[in-house]
Amino acid sequence: MLKGKKIIIGITASIAAYKIPLLVRLLKKAGAEVKIIITPSAKDFVTPLTLSTLSGNPVLSELFDKQDGSWNSHVELGLWADLFLVAPASANTLSKMAHGAADNLLLTSYLSARSPVFIAPAMDLDMYKHPSTKQNIDLLRSFGHYIIEPTEGELASGLCGAGRMEEPEVMFDIIQDFFKKKTKLSGKKVLVSAGPTFEAIDPVRFIGNHSSGKMGFAIADELASRGAIVTLVSGPVNISSTHAHIKRIDVTTAEQMYDACIANFESMDIGIMAAAIADFTPKNVADRKIKKENATPVIELVSTKDVLKEMGRQKKDNQLLIGFALETNDEVANALKKLHKKNLDLIVLNSLQDPGAGFKHATNQVSLIDRNEHIQAFELKNKDDVARDIVNRIEELI
Ligand code: CTP
């Protein structure tokens, strides 16, 4: 699968550079061609001799070769690559990449690259958490680059937290996945919502629902593994996604879900609303815990905004919008009503009448209904397989 694929790895100054020789070995063993560009200060962390031996290519660093005065063409390098990986990416290089600086061979080659770009940040936790680093990462993501998020753990500084560059085996899998599943979804920006929302009654109580988030997370993972750039807006859940380059936005209430989805939908190719968003929220939230000595409270509810309906209203011709319908009766008729009322391209219907379908279960049984009212009914499957069916259908619609 990686046979003959041309991969550039740009290495910057971080202790995590020690992991790159292992990655080079894995890529070479799988048949890829690897060229390495190293920033001058990264040479203190990993030796060019190790890297050139493992990659079978000279390690490049300077714009000009000081020995024979020849020029290392960043344009040729940029065009050569099928994939450009910057790993480890220091805070300094992230900032330069986000703002177009071009003061070394790695950066000029990056600016010339037409291939997909993967970036694996590595730094100390406070540097990683800093708003400027976050902004730079968001900018790089908005260029369509894939961020291989650092993991949590003990850092070289002795501090503990997020900032550890992903392990070489995982980075290898991500690269392999990318080439394996180059599909119509590669590079497509997709917004997925998942999980429940919680609507506060007082500081300790809320109205929620049984959604676990599993269905939405499985869809997000499936999309990401096919090369989509996924933004996952999640209500309060106890699961994490398996894919490193999913951007996750955590929300609690229906209003926050509305704000996050509407703010992001305009720049998306596809929206998939799998979240079980509350339809009603308490009109007033008590600022203190409601005491049982007082009279039994009557909670007045008001309607929340329908996120999907608003997305349907804003939808442009080149966007696809997919909604969910969880029904207990007159399933198809109700789902069709929602499909047309909310201007959807596809609706995923699950019925609480079917055992093993809907909330909480690891399985689900769905029917997919498109704008032409064509119905595709599936058997009961685990949610990962259901996600595959849904994403297959979306690929057909693209
Ligand atoms: N949805 C939404 N905003 C809400 C409620 C629901 O975007 N405030 C979305 C869900 O994410 C789902 C779809 O609308 O994709 C259908 O949700 P559902 O609750 O089944 O339908 P409703 O339109 O709310 O109708 P009803 O509850 O009356 O069946």
Side-chain angles (χ1 to χ4, degrees), residues 333-362:
N334 280 330
L336 279 172
K337 225 189 278 167
K338 281 178 198 172
L339 175 93
H340 294 304
K341 197 173 78 188
K342 300 192 188 190
N343 190 23
L344 309 181
D345 298 285
L346 189 73
I347 193 152
V348 182
L349 164 64
N350 33 174
S351 166
L352 281 186
Q353 300 280 7
D354 296 321
F359 290 152
K360 277 186 175 167
H361 300 287

Side-chain angles (χ1 to χ4, degrees), residues 193 254 272-279 304-309 311 322-327 338 341-342 344 347:
S193 73
I272 305 173
M273 293 297 288
I277 304 167
D279 289 324
T304 56
K305 288 186 263 187
D306 191 318
V307 191
L308 187 59
K309 197 168 163 196
M311 287 163 83
I322 292 94
F324 274 67
L326 178 63
E327 305 294 341
K338 281 178 198 172
K341 197 173 78 188
K342 300 192 188 190
L344 309 181
I347 193 152

Side-chain angles (χ1 to χ4, degrees), residues 119-374:
I119 302 167
M123 65 199 73
D124 214 53
L125 81 165
D126 293 306
M127 293 174 79
Y128 182 64
K129 273 199 313 212
H130 198 281
S132 62
T133 307
K134 289 263 170 252
Q135 253 178 30
N136 289 333
I137 290 179
D138 283 346
L139 255 174
L140 290 164
R141 219 181 238 125
S142 74
F143 302 161
H145 300 340
Y146 299 87
I147 306 295
I148 303 177
E149 296 276 3
T151 58
E152 303 229 344
E154 199 175 314
L155 302 166
S157 60
L159 295 174
C160 215
R164 246 163 73 135
M165 189 179 77
E166 193 48 279
E167 295 305 318
E169 293 80 6
V170 178
M171 291 203 282
F172 174 77
D173 285 348
I174 290 171
I175 293 171
Q176 186 157 257
D177 262 11
F178 176 78
F179 284 115
K180 186 164 63 188
K181 301 205 176 150
K182 210 165 184 314
T183 65
K184 280 190 191 166
L185 281 159
S186 299
K188 289 268 185 270
K189 294 185 183 170
V190 189
L191 177 81
V192 181
S193 73
T197 63
F198 289 174
E199 309 301 318
I201 297 170
D202 68 14
V204 290
R205 303 180 180 93
F206 61 84
I207 300 172
N209 61 63
H210 291 302
S211 169
S212 64
K214 275 186 202 136
M215 196 62 252
F217 274 65
I219 292 172
D221 281 341
E222 183 61 28
L223 289 161
S225 75
R226 298 193 198 193
I229 302 162
V230 181
T231 301
L232 175 62
V233 182
S234 174
V237 294
N238 286 320
I239 44 173
S240 50
S241 60
T242 55
H243 256 272
H245 51 265
I246 294 175
K247 179 184 170 187
R248 179 164 161 183
I249 302 173
D250 286 313
V251 298
T252 305
T253 64
E255 193 178 355
Q256 291 166 353
M257 182 72 81
Y258 180 92
D259 290 344
C261 291
I262 298 301
N264 283 282
F265 183 55
E266 202 197 341
S267 61
M268 297 286 151
D269 298 299
I270 304 168
I272 305 173
M273 293 297 288
I277 304 167
D279 289 324
F280 309 103
T281 189
K283 186 174 180 195
N284 300 305
V285 182
D287 53 6
R288 292 182 183 188
K289 188 178 172 196
I290 301 169
K291 288 295 191 187
K292 61 173 173 285
E293 292 91 78
N294 302 340
T296 310
V298 174
I299 299 167
E300 190 183 343
L301 299 174
V302 289
S303 295
T304 56
K305 288 186 263 187
D306 191 318
V307 191
L308 187 59
K309 197 168 163 196
E310 179 57 23
M311 287 163 83
R313 204 186 60 75
Q314 295 185 7
K315 188 177 75 156
K316 291 171 276 180
D317 288 347
N318 56 355
Q319 289 179 306
L320 286 179
L321 187 58
I322 292 94
F324 274 67
L326 178 63
E327 305 294 341
T328 52
N329 54 289
D330 301 324
E331 290 89 342
V332 172
N334 280 330
L336 279 172
K337 225 189 278 167
K338 281 178 198 172
L339 175 93
H340 294 304
K341 197 173 78 188
K342 300 192 188 190
N343 190 23
L344 309 181
D345 298 285
L346 189 73
I347 193 152
V348 182
L349 164 64
N350 33 174
S351 166
L352 281 186
Q353 300 280 7
D354 296 321
F359 290 152
K360 277 186 175 167
H361 300 287
T363 51
N364 203 0
Q365 182 168 11
V366 302
S367 297
L368 304 182
I369 312 179
D370 65 20
R371 284 176 90 88
N372 301 322
E373 307 197 353
H374 173 254

Side-chain angles (χ1 to χ4, degrees), residues 42-61:
K43 290 181 198 167
D44 292 332
F45 295 90
V46 59
T47 76
L49 180 63
T50 310
L51 294 164
S52 61
T53 309
L54 289 172
S55 67
N57 278 313
V59 172
L60 307 167
S61 185

